[in-house]
Structure formats: C-alpha cells, structure tokens
Amino acid sequence: MFGIHDLALFVVSGLLLNIMPGPDSLLIMTRSATQGWRAGSAAALGIGTGTFVHIVAAALGLSAILATSAAAFTVVKLAGAAYILYLAVGMLLSKRGDGVEKPLTVTPLPLRRIYAQGILTNVLNPKVALFFLAFVPQFIDANAPHKAAAFLILGAIFNINGMLWCHALALFTAQARARLKLNPAVTQWLNRATGGLFVWLGVKLALAKPH
C-alpha cells in the first residue's frame, strides 16, 4: 500500500535506532529521575512532537533544504547546540533540595516547560531531519504514486514506536529512582553529570557537518 515495502524490517530498524542513546534519552531520564515519570512523559511527548515536525517537513521537502544548503544547516545546528548548552548550564547549576521533605534536586519545572524542552531539543537538531531524509525513503518504492503519503505513514509508525520506547524509559527511570531512594546529594550529582554530557553533545552538534 502506498508503495511501502519491507515494513517489518522498517519497524525493527526503527526500534533499534530509537533505543540508541542521545540527547532525547538523556533529557527523559534526567526529568524522570528528578521529578518522576510524569515529567519524563512530558519530555517524551515533546520529543514526539518535535519528531512529527521533522516528519512533516521531510515529507514536504523542507528538510531537503538542510541537506543542500550549508548556511541553513549551520544556522539550525548552532541554534540547537546553543539550546542544548543552555539546558546543560541549568543542570550544572542545579541546587540540592532541602532534605527528606523535598527529595528533588532542583525546583520542579512545570510540565509544559519540560514538554517545550523536549520539542526544542529535537526540532533544533538538523541531524534528525537528515536522518529521515536518508532512512525512510529506503522503504518506499521509487515508482510509488503517493510518496509523501507513504513517508508520513512510515514516519508516524516510527514516531509511535519511539514514543512507546520513550515512555517505557521514563517509567523505568522513575521506578529505579523510587526503589533506590536517591538522596538529594546523589540526584544533584546525576543532574550535573547529565549536564556535563549535554555540554559534550552541544559541542559535538556545533561541530557537526551535513555529511
């Protein structure tokens, strides 16, 4: 249907790609570990929204601009790197809670703000756009009459699978946090360690090249 082929291979490949660690996974785990599964779920939903933006953009051909325009790629990647570094600074400067009554390491962020962080972390990463342009077309026949529709269908399948994984990761991290009963000092260290990883990811993105 719609010229889609090897759907089972696409689903399995997509799941394996979603499991690979990156800034999205780190954001979900950090929010789940510090504020519980609802916060991790909000981050996951934001990431899913950002992925949907990339899918629609790629289906409409907008992401091709990033693949062919060095200037456009540079602008987006620097904006993404700056935002990831902004998140990293917030984690590195996080303060310890007041004790047992407040086990969180940082002042809890509103869920809508965490959701927005998820969107921006994903949307401002041009590598995601280039990934969809390179990966999804491999499962669409060259002579398919409705390539854009096929692209959207495959993108939706990829995103649904990704959301299942992201929410499972949020739940697992939150449950691990509850079982380990991390004290404020340990969770503060977790925030700062994640902040350090975000610094590395931000610098890596800033130095990324289109190909």
Side-chain angles (χ1 to χ4, degrees):
M1 184 180 293
F2 295 101
I4 296 172
H5 60 83
D6 297 322
L7 183 58
L9 177 61
F10 175 82
V11 171
V12 173
S13 300
L15 284 172
L16 292 175
L17 289 167
N18 277 309
I19 290 173
M20 293 177 63
D24 292 347
S25 298
L26 287 174
L27 181 63
I28 292 170
M29 294 177 68
T30 301
R31 294 309 174 203
S32 296
T34 56
Q35 290 186 228
W37 72 269
R38 287 184 178 84
S41 179
L45 290 172
I47 289 164
T49 302
T51 300
F52 180 73
V53 171
H54 281 296
I55 292 168
V56 173
L60 295 176
L62 298 178
S63 293
I65 296 174
L66 292 176
T68 58
S69 172
F73 183 88
T74 299
V75 169
V76 174
K77 78 166 184 177
L78 291 179
Y83 185 71
I84 290 176
L85 291 172
Y86 167 76
L87 292 179
V89 170
M91 294 175 185
L92 291 171
L93 298 179
S94 64
K95 296 181 180 180
R96 188 183 304 185
D98 296 331
V100 177
E101 293 301 321
K102 294 183 179 180
L104 299 177
T105 61
V106 292
T107 301
L109 292 176
L111 295 183
R112 63 180 179 277
R113 183 173 174 185
I114 295 174
Y115 173 74
Q117 285 182 345
I119 294 175
L120 292 174
T121 300
N122 193 277
V123 168
L124 293 178
N125 187 348
K127 289 291 188 179
V128 178
L130 299 186
F131 160 77
F132 279 110
L133 285 177
F135 178 67
V136 176
Q138 297 181 45
F139 299 89
I140 301 174
D141 290 331
N143 297 321
H146 304 291
K147 292 185 177 65
F151 200 106
L152 290 173
I153 291 171
L154 289 175
I157 293 172
F158 180 90
N159 204 12
I160 290 171
N161 288 337
M163 286 297 91
L164 291 174
W165 163 252
C166 288
H167 281 86
L169 182 63
L171 183 60
F172 172 80
T173 304
Q175 288 182 340
R177 166 183 175 263
R179 290 180 181 178
L180 293 174
K181 296 180 179 179
L182 300 180
N183 61 44
V186 175
T187 48
Q188 184 183 33
W189 177 88
L190 175 63
N191 254 304
R192 291 181 176 176
T194 306
L197 288 174
F198 265 64
V199 170
W200 177 75
L201 289 169
V203 172
K204 182 179 180 182
L205 178 58
L207 298 177
K209 297 185 181 299
H211 303 292

